Amino acid sequence: MQDPIPESNYMINSLTNRREELFPGKIIEHKQEENKFYFSSANEVTLLVQVLTSRIIRFRYSPDGYFPPDFSYAIDPDFKPEPPKVEFTQKPDSFQLTTELVVCIIQKEGLQIKILDKSGNVINEDEKGYHWEYDLQTGNNTVKMSKWVQSGEHYYGLGDKSCNMNLRGRRLQNWGSDTYGYSRNSDPLYKSIPFYFGLHQKTAYGIFFDNTFRTYFDFAHERSNLTSFWAHGEEMNYYFFYGPGLTEVAEQYALLTGRSAMPPLWALGYQQCKWSYYPESTFKGIAREFRERQIPCDALYLDIDYMDGFRCFTWNKEYFPDPKRMISELAADGFKTVVIIDPGIKIDKNYRVYQEGFQNGYFCRRGDGPYMKGSVWPGLCHFPDYTHPVVREWWADLFEELITVDGVRGVWNDMNEPAVFEQGTFPDDVRFDYDGNPCSHRKAHNIYGMQMARATYMGVKKFCYPNRPLVITRSAFSGTQRFSSTWTGDNVASWDHLWMANIQCQRLSISGMSFVGSDIGGFIETPTGELYIRWLQLGIFHPFCRTHSSGDHGDQEPWSFGPEYTLLAKKFIELRYRLLPYIYTTFWQYVTFGTPMLRPLTFMAQDDTETYHRMAEFGLGDNFLICPITQAEVDGRWLYLPHGTWYYFWDNTIYIGGKEVWAQAPLDRIPFFIRAGSVVPFYPLMQYVGEKEITELTLNLYYTEGSFTSTLYDDGGDGYAYEKGIFTERKFIVTGTQVSLTVSQEIKGAFEPTYTTYKIILHGLPFGPETIRIDGEPLLLDTVVDPELDFEPESQNEKFPVIYVRRDFKTLNIQGIASDPMLPEPEMA
Ligand code: GLC
């Protein structure tokens, strides 16, 4: 039989199932309702262009002029922007919508879109644009979009993909999958985040394809001049974000899909997990080791074996006879207990959760009626339909006893892709309520994990009150950041996986999910001491910092690799605790502005095309640059430093960025640079958050010539007062010349921290201080051998000038005599 498909067809998933492509005709009608513009074609296609803000535009297409109710799990219900000013004009061939920042042109013939900036540069342009195929087998449309690749265009984003950071040349898909021991380039993985960034001519935009079916993205892979995305169902419904900065695009996306709340500060501490710690004596033994060895730790995890036969919300009373007592004893020693909860509910007539779910119809049903059955850890299970609001309420309430009676402080959701043994996931015919928009698994699959995390969050938040909740999820869709943190799933103890952990966490961070980490050391198999330390060095710079490993492969605690590695593990976990106020401030920026916490090099310097293919280096917050060592037996690495002046954390060597530098990093260092001009707050060393009342906060000030501003956020680290404005935002404006340094502090907010003094340690002063004035009054300078910063035995005796000042000072001024007329010579390797 002759293939009826024209040559020009692409976005092909299966050659045998290709269908004829259908296209919109000419626009014959249009109308405007406030910021919504409808364009209807001769063959009944309708395009709805909704201008949400001056830089966010939504494009929604209907092949038959009918739009089903507008419903999305991804969009933040609190996103209700004021409609922006839009100018509408018509030309013979096109319509034009103009906002403050962009111009959107809609072709009358074929409905292709072109978006330009105000200077007339093309930002994004359709090729065929919207078109579709009708799929006889499923009765759905495959909805498609194709766009021209702009000259020199690069692509980033898409969540947890384990491939290179720059996506140009790749085809990827979203279908949340349980991918035990995945590898580089495995696709799809656990999460579905159909959001990408385009960058060309140093200008960035983003596209979020809000479609929960299996989605595909082709970035100049099938055809080098085209980028396309498509889905096996539902609508072509996407949002365009204008930057021009990559970070601005990420912030726009976070505005639309929502932001996380502030976590409890302890959740940014070090966490220890294993599949599984049991019985109680083993679990408490782990806690004891941490405290005896004085290795800081805040949270300990119970994996599936704490349950009775893997029944969620039960305890194995043989292993854990008195969970409440055990958890409170651990809590008295500063440990928070986090437990795993999976979606599979064991089919067992004597099990309360099963009975309630069964009797009330809370489980997902097959297309023909019976409850869906699938095998996971407990054996055959039913699975709650978390897309039903009543089921979410029920699920949330199931946490009451675990939290209010037993004292659990956080919940870890796993296997929620949803994963089913042997079959992989649910069959396609399984039905979901989808919040009153009934559908099959084809549509609900990718948001199942997100809705589970949402229901869990509702419960943990409710019962932990007035404390803040911690939820961790393996599966996610766009918007999951509103409910949960995440990790990168079942990785392997290998150098390649350490490389991937770095890329995946950065990529998740720019895709809306900054509260992210990997299983430190690798989940499958056992790392060598060296690999464990290299991984931990990276992990302490990830917002979610947890060692986790599978029980069948040896021990993986910080002390499992021999004394010299134990010391190193302790040193890096201690550093994490010292950095907590900086990491917390970075979290607050993420919560407040949607700014990714982990920032790929290109996001730090998108004007520098050198960064476009580099991916190992990344920023944490405004002032850190980190680059992990992902190779065995090396004592340093080359890396690219973005422009600006940087201090090497370990020895204060000054580097000028905008080029490759060699960072000396034997096993007791990770390449870690601090931006000149920054003020980096350090907590005193603590074994867990809240161990000590902090009376003095250390501020490490890194001298710069010129001016630079750093921020410090504080709200006490738990509770909800911050939502009512009880927090402080402190800005330190550092201005340096060859013979002076001025620090001004601007304080906003009503929170009173416990510390009353700052200990300011001055790094890199190019002059000898002569007079010091604090708010006009003279002050004495001291020097410290800084045992806190200085991990290098050989430089133990180096002295740093230090000043003790009252917390709420306004201006600190240091005048000096130039000891060296020049800036310290940048040390180059
Ligand atoms: C899954 C999780 C892993 C967990 C295990 C047992 O493989 O990804 O983290 O330890 O299940 O619950």
Side-chain angles (χ1 to χ4, degrees), residues 275 303-304 340 377 412 414-415 474 487 490 519 523 548:
W275 176 18
D303 204 329
I304 47 176
I340 196 167
W377 308 120
W412 168 27
D414 187 29
M415 305 291 278
R474 193 170 72 174
W487 90 108
D490 296 344
D519 284 351
F523 175 71
H548 179 41

Side-chain angles (χ1 to χ4, degrees), residues 738-739 765-771 781 814-820:
Q738 282 298 308
V739 286
L765 268 198
F767 57 86
E770 216 188 15
T771 55
L781 179 81
I814 307 174
Q815 294 290 335
I817 335 162
S819 53
D820 177 348

